[in-house]
């Protein structure tokens, strides 16, 4: 092997070694720096599976990989024209890599901030998608500019064709802005339990750029376009309130003292509430009884049972009816009917 071949071989060896050590340092420093960096930024230890932690770890590793790649380019000593082209492509590649990494960091930081501010900033994929789109679009424009492609004509064309674009995606844009309106209005958030005017109810799973998804109690999912969601009437059981309750209507036969009926009803209500929430969770004054109607042979009552969460209503109703049935049977009452009302 002559001297030039030996030098060329050593340059390639140094180049590959630079990339290898860049990757190795990325893994070493990533495991060392990221936990300390996240603790400094969040004032708390961040779980290693959190999107922000993973995004920062990827950023550190890509940084050392790019650093090793630039060092390898210097060791290879390519021809001037070839080196300029490779350097340009490496620069564009670096911009794209860091753009994707920053998009993930922005999304993870938004999720973390939303969880720490307790509803000050809503948590939903629509906001994460918007943050990612803005960062990716900015990075893409920078990459094009780096390649020498002027972005000014593209932006001008986008402005001219914006009207046609908006008309073509009118429904999509309508759902996007309606979703933002619903979310930023803070009348409904991910995790809230709501009931629609159509009678459907469920837990808000997500609000994305097009639809709102509700998980029903049976595990199925309701998909509602955001534009429709912004116009419909719904009840949000998760908003702050002075107390919510579930109502059960009971039809009782005449012939017994109503005070005796009320005593058994209140006793059954206390038993059911104690089973769900513990002893002395609610005092007797929280249990409301209203007389609705009087018939020749019966009287109708409505019992309001206080609940802490709307999701407890089915369990409370079932426990109450079972307890009330036992109490009436023990007293020798019959011909009792109960009807659940929302």
């Amino acid at each position: 092997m002559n001297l030039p071949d030996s030098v060329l071989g050593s340059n390639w060896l140094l180049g590959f070694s630079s990339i290898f050590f860049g990757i190795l340092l990325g893994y070493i420093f990533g495991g060392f720096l990221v936990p300390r960096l996240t603790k400094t930024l969040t004032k708390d230890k961040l779980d290693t599976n959190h999107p922000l932690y993973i995004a920062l770890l990827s950023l550190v590793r890509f940084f050392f990989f790019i650093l090793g790649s630039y060092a390898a380019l210097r060791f290879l000593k390519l021809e001037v024209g070839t080196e300029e082209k490779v350097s340009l492509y490496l620069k564009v590649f670096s911009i794209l890599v860091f753009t994707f990494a920053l998009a993930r960091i922005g999304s993870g930081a938004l999720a973390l901030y939303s969880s720490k501010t307790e509803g000050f900033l809503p948590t939903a994929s629509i906001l994460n998608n918007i943050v990612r789109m803005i960062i990716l679009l900015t990075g893409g424009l920078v990459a094009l500019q780096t390649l020498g492609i002027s972005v000014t004509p593209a932006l001008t064309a986008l402005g001219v064709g914006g009207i046609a674009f908006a008309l073509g995606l009118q429904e999509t844009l309508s759902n996007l802005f309606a979703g933002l309106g619903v979310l930023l209005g803070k009348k409904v958030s991910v995790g809230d339990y709501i009931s629609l005017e159509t009678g459907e109810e469920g837990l808000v799973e997500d609000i994305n750029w097009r639809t709102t998804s509700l998980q029903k109690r049976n595990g199925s999912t309701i998909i509602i376009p955001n534009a429709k969601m912004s116009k419909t009437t719904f009840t949000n059981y998760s908003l702050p309130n002075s107390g919510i309750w579930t109502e059960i209507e009971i039809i009782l036969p005449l012939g017994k003292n109503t005070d005796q009926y009320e005593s058994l009803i209140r006793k059954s209500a206390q038993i059911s509430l104690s089973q769900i929430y513990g002893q002395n969770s609610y005092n007797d004054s929280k249990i409301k009884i209203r007389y609705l109607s009087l018939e020749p042979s019966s009287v109708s009552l409505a019992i309001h049972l206080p609940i802490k969460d709307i999701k407890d209503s089915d369990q409370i109703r079932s426990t109450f009816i079972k307890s009330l049935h036992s109490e009436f049977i023990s007293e020798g009452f019959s011909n009792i009917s109960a009807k659940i009302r929302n």
Side-chain angles (χ1 to χ4, degrees):
M1 182 182 291
N2 54 31
L3 185 60
D5 292 336
S6 176
V7 172
L8 182 62
S10 64
N11 288 343
W12 280 99
L13 181 62
L14 287 172
F16 283 117
S17 298
S18 299
I19 296 175
F20 173 77
F21 280 109
I23 296 173
L24 182 63
L25 289 174
Y27 275 85
I28 294 174
F29 278 92
F32 174 77
L33 290 176
V34 173
R36 290 160 178 78
L37 181 60
T38 54
K39 190 172 183 179
T40 302
L41 293 175
T42 63
K43 309 299 181 184
D44 196 7
K45 186 177 180 181
L46 201 63
D47 185 75
T48 54
N49 293 322
H50 194 279
L52 180 58
Y53 185 97
I54 297 173
L56 287 171
L57 191 62
S58 300
L59 180 64
V60 172
R61 290 174 177 175
F62 275 124
F63 173 77
F64 280 97
F65 170 72
I66 297 297
L67 202 63
S69 299
Y70 272 105
L73 185 62
R74 295 293 177 265
F75 282 124
L76 289 178
K77 299 185 182 299
L78 302 174
E79 295 181 1
V80 177
T82 304
E83 183 175 350
E84 288 179 354
K85 288 183 179 179
V86 174
S87 179
L88 176 63
Y89 294 145
L90 183 58
K91 186 183 295 184
V92 173
F93 175 73
S94 303
I95 292 171
L96 295 177
V97 165
F98 284 116
T99 297
F100 279 100
L102 288 175
R104 294 178 65 187
I105 289 174
S107 178
L110 181 65
L112 179 65
Y113 182 75
S114 300
S115 63
K116 284 185 174 292
T117 52
E118 298 182 351
F120 179 77
L121 188 64
T123 302
S125 61
I126 185 172
L127 294 181
N128 286 335
N129 290 337
I130 290 174
V131 169
R132 287 179 180 178
M133 184 174 62
I134 292 173
I135 295 175
L136 291 175
L137 182 60
T138 303
L141 293 176
V142 173
L144 289 175
Q145 194 72 39
T146 303
L147 285 171
I149 301 173
S150 178
V151 298
T152 303
L155 292 175
T156 303
L158 182 62
V160 173
I163 298 176
F165 180 79
L167 290 174
L169 297 177
Q170 186 175 5
E171 183 178 352
T172 300
L173 293 175
S174 174
N175 284 316
L176 173 63
F177 288 112
L180 284 174
V182 169
L183 195 63
L184 298 179
K186 297 184 179 180
K187 295 303 180 184
V188 62
S189 303
V190 175
D192 288 354
Y193 194 93
I194 65 173
S195 174
L196 305 178
E197 63 179 342
T198 56
E200 297 165 318
E201 59 182 45
L203 194 71
V204 180
E205 286 186 311
D206 190 22
I207 302 174
N208 59 35
W209 59 275
R210 190 172 183 273
T211 61
T212 298
S213 56
L214 302 182
Q215 184 182 45
K216 299 175 67 175
R217 294 183 186 181
N218 61 6
S220 60
T221 302
I222 306 171
I223 306 298
I224 310 167
N226 289 332
K228 182 178 179 181
M229 185 68 187
S230 65
K231 297 176 182 178
T232 191
T233 301
F234 60 87
T235 302
N236 190 338
Y237 295 101
S238 300
L239 290 178
N241 56 73
S242 58
I244 55 177
W245 63 84
T246 187
E247 183 178 288
I248 300 176
E249 183 179 330
I250 299 178
I251 302 175
L252 301 170
L254 293 178
K256 299 292 183 180
N257 191 312
T258 54
D259 290 337
Q260 190 177 5
Y261 282 143
E262 285 195 27
S263 177
L264 294 177
I265 289 171
R266 291 187 182 278
K267 181 180 178 181
S268 300
Q270 286 288 1
I271 291 173
S272 60
L273 292 171
S274 297
Q275 288 183 7
I276 304 302
Y277 298 124
Q279 291 290 335
N280 302 319
S281 53
Y282 286 102
N283 58 46
D284 191 65
S285 63
K286 295 291 185 179
I287 301 169
K288 306 294 184 182
I289 298 177
R290 295 187 300 114
Y291 287 86
L292 302 177
S293 64
L294 179 63
E295 301 294 335
S297 60
S298 64
V299 60
S300 297
L301 298 84
I303 296 88
H304 288 187
L305 298 176
I307 54 177
K308 295 180 180 180
D309 194 309
I310 190 63
K311 289 175 284 187
D312 300 335
S313 59
D314 284 346
Q315 190 176 8
I316 287 286
R317 292 165 175 172
S318 177
T319 306
F320 172 75
I321 292 174
K322 181 180 178 181
S323 175
L324 186 62
H325 178 261
S326 298
E327 292 295 328
F328 279 172
I329 290 296
S330 65
E331 293 293 331
F333 296 165
S334 59
N335 300 325
I336 308 299
S337 61
K339 181 168 63 175
I340 294 173
R341 300 177 63 191
N342 292 322

